[in-house]
């Protein structure tokens, strides 16, 4: 049973744990209409939730969508929103089963609840990192934030956003921001391997994610600045604090780290980097440079309230 | 696992169907801060979802909360919101497992996704009504809307809302609007009885609910105006179109209707009324008066966009 009754009704798989997550995007806080189409918004609203399922090693199943729209909204806009969401939903087998569309005053907002499932032995929490584990990351960090900066610049200077079509790097950064690809498949491989001990996505920035794993696992970390996979044309600071790349940050038993990286790369073609190691809690969370200088890796993730 | 990881993780019961629903309340559209406290808002945000689970005959399990707050919001307000929600959650065994609190521009909004479960044979849909079935309703209709009118009057005339404490009827109406009681237990009894064929709640008004059952079941209906259980001091029009009473409207095989009404009353002390009967689709959905005059029962439910 889908949309059209008081509730969506569906079957859960036997012997699986259920996963549930909710994320909200508000116009003017998380995005601007000047650069974000309804199609992109639909995509991203689901993508941010898919990333939460990915970072547990799960498979997404069912999405419930709440959409608040100003009265002036056109029916075509709503269709574009759902087209964007459905194109991503189809890719990952998500069933959009329920929706609540309400009138908002002046700003668009969307809140998506996503359900998923994971084998009973497989879920990877933030809290499982052990001393000696290596810290690993998928993909490259910083591109999404760089894309956002390009978009904001466009809005400011030419009021409508026209990207230089002849700059593929800028276009790539912008796409990474507007239409992020959740790491569902990578998360499943990491969880199923049995080698990973903790996992999180980097939606609030790499620095935040590592600090969060350490806080929940009650350990410390050494992160090697020169090992961090920076997106092309991006500073270390942007890679650490940009956020919204929706890459997976995870820890792995030291002796299996290379093997896990190999398996992920082989099956998904996604880059995997070893960027640090887990140490005792009293050593804190530190960033270590090539010449062995170290400083505290501050939590200063992308702040939606700024 | 509760709040604090990327997802909430929990077990589904074997041999049950999962239910999922989402509802959103927006300041200025669904409520005003002048009369609705954060405690009341937390209660109601969950109550409206519980009513959706009730109208499938299910048991609620897990809630995910998205809360958008203006920057000026006090921490005590957020605590009040969750106190209100928790007081209702506790009553019905709901586990609040996830939350997403974000900054909104100027208006409060809350979107709650609620999961539940129901025995495989038990879910009652809107679409199951058959010709000859009787139409039944729990409780009385119209009080919530009358309560809302009182509240709006207070806001208009004395800017802050002070109810005449010496008028218990007005106080009851107001409470019915601010802190509705979902009919969870009644819904479960109705579903487990095996006698009910279709069910819905009256959140959008009794007239809308009956039309919706008929539309989904492809049948018509005769509703007897003098059998409709009007709340004290409320007009027929308010009972038909007020909405938000969160009573259950359901259909039942004719010969079991009295028995089902008796069982519900006995187990829950809730009033149950037989208000009409299901007829062929070509007869339409009609309201019949005591002197056998009939007119079309228009869909003119409470419109959130008005």
């Amino acid at each position: 049973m889908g949309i059209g009754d008081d509730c969506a009704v569906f079957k859960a798989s036997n012997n699986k744990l259920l996963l549930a997550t909710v994320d909200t995007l508000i116009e003017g806080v998380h995005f601007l209409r000047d650069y974000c189409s309804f199609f992109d918004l639909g995509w991203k609203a689901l993508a941010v939730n898919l990333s939460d399922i990915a970072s547990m090693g799960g498979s997404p199943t069912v999405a419930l969508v709440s959409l608040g729209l100003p009265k002036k909204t056109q029916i075509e806009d709503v269709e574009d929103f759902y087209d964007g969401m459905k194109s991503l939903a189809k890719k990952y087998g998500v069933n959009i089963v329920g929706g609540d569309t309400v009138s908002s005053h002046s700003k668009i907002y969307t809140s998506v609840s996503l359900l998923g499932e994971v084998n009973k032995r497989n879920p990877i929490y933030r809290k499982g990192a052990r001393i000696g584990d290596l810290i690993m990351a998928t993909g490259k960090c910083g591109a999404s934030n760089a894309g956002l900066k390009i978009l904001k610049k466009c809005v400011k200077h030419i009021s409508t956003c026209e990207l230089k079509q002849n700059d593929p790097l800028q276009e790539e950064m912008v796409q990474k921001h507007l239409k992020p690809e959740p790491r569902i498949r990578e998360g499943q491989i990491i969880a199923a391997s049995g080698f990973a001990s903790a996992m999180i996505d980097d939606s609030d920035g790499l620095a935040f994610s590592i600090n969060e794993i350490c806080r929940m696992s009650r350990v410390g970390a050494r992160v090697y600045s020169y090992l961090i996979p920076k997106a092309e044309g991006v500073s270390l600071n942007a890679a650490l604090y940009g956020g919204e790349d929706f890459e997976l940050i995870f820890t792995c038993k030291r002796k299996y780290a290379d093997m896990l990286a190999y398996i992920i790369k082989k099956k998904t073609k996604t880059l995997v980097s070893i960027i640090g190691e887990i140490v005792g809690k009293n050593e804190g969370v530190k960033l270590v440079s090539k010449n062995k200088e170290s400083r505290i890796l501050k939590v200063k993730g992308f702040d939606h309230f700024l």
Side-chain angles (χ1 to χ4, degrees), chain A:
Chain A
M1 297 292 299
I3 295 170
D5 221 293
D6 293 275
C7 292
V9 184
F10 53 100
K11 252 189 88 174
S13 307
N14 282 338
N15 296 316
K16 296 225 174 173
L17 291 170
L18 288 174
L19 303 173
T21 184
V22 59
D23 267 301
T24 304
L25 301 178
I26 300 184
E27 183 186 349
V29 180
H30 302 92
F31 67 94
L32 299 176
R33 276 290 288 128
D34 290 321
Y35 62 72
C36 185
S37 71
F38 271 91
F39 187 97
D40 290 341
L41 181 60
W43 174 291
K44 188 152 183 176
L46 182 58
V48 297
N49 280 287
L50 282 168
S51 186
D52 286 329
I53 298 285
S55 60
M56 306 296 293
S59 305
T61 53
V62 161
L64 295 161
V65 184
S66 172
L67 186 56
L69 296 168
K71 285 179 191 175
K72 62 177 183 202
T73 311
Q74 304 294 311
I75 185 75
E76 292 78 20
D77 294 337
V78 182
E79 286 169 357
D80 280 350
F81 175 87
Y82 277 105
D83 282 346
M85 185 170 283
K86 280 179 193 164
S87 65
L88 189 60
K90 198 178 170 190
K91 201 165 172 179
Y92 294 104
V94 178
N95 199 1
I96 301 171
V97 295
D100 180 32
T101 304
V102 295
S103 168
S104 74
H105 275 278
S106 58
K107 302 292 180 186
I108 302 162
Y109 90 84
T110 172
S111 179
V112 175
S113 292
L114 183 63
L115 306 182
E117 53 185 30
V118 64
N119 284 329
K120 272 181 183 167
R121 287 182 311 180
N122 279 1
I124 310 288
Y125 300 100
R126 295 178 179 179
K127 67 174 181 184
R130 300 266 173 86
I131 294 171
D133 287 352
L134 296 187
I135 304 168
M136 303 168 75
T138 62
K140 293 181 177 181
C141 295
S144 172
N145 188 253
L148 177 61
K149 279 181 183 157
I150 295 165
L151 288 167
K152 283 189 170 168
K153 221 171 185 173
C154 288
V155 171
K156 211 167 167 184
H157 290 291
I158 53 170
S159 96
T160 59
C161 181
E162 287 168 41
L163 291 167
K164 294 169 195 161
Q165 296 257 341
N166 53 357
D167 188 338
L169 177 60
Q170 291 210 349
E171 178 60 25
E172 197 186 315
M173 286 168 164
V174 163
Q175 285 306 315
K176 181 90 184 175
H177 183 76
L178 291 178
K179 291 178 65 188
E181 272 293 343
R183 298 295 194 186
I184 291 289
R185 184 103 177 84
E186 293 79 357
Q188 290 167 346
I189 294 166
I190 292 164
S193 74
F195 302 148
S197 49
M199 187 151 58
I200 188 171
D201 72 6
D202 77 337
S203 51
D204 296 306
L206 184 58
F208 175 87
S209 299
I210 293 169
N211 271 282
E212 187 64 10
I213 283 182
C214 289
R215 189 179 68 83
M216 297 287 283
S217 304
R218 297 175 188 192
V219 293
R222 266 184 233 133
V223 180
Y224 300 96
S225 59
Y226 49 97
L227 297 179
I228 290 171
K230 301 193 293 281
E232 203 182 326
V234 153
S235 70
L236 178 63
N237 205 47
L240 283 171
Y241 296 109
E244 296 217 6
D245 289 301
F246 301 107
E247 299 296 346
L248 297 175
I249 317 300
F250 56 104
T251 58
C252 178
K253 285 172 195 152
R254 186 176 290 257
K255 63 175 168 178
Y256 300 121
D258 284 331
M259 196 195 300
L260 183 53
Y262 175 80
I263 296 169
I264 299 167
K265 273 183 237 178
K266 172 123 185 165
K267 290 193 176 177
T268 66
K269 297 197 172 67
T270 300
L271 175 74
V272 179
S273 308
I274 295 171
I275 61 172
E277 57 192 319
I278 297 295
V279 296
K281 188 171 190 289
N282 54 3
E283 290 195 46
V285 181
K286 297 226 171 99
L287 189 69
V288 183
S289 69
K290 218 161 194 170
N291 54 17
K292 295 190 179 165
E293 280 172 20
S294 79
R295 59 180 172 93
I296 291 170
L297 180 59
K298 285 185 196 157
V299 180
K300 198 189 72 177
F302 185 78
D303 192 347
H304 295 301
F305 281 81
L306 289 179

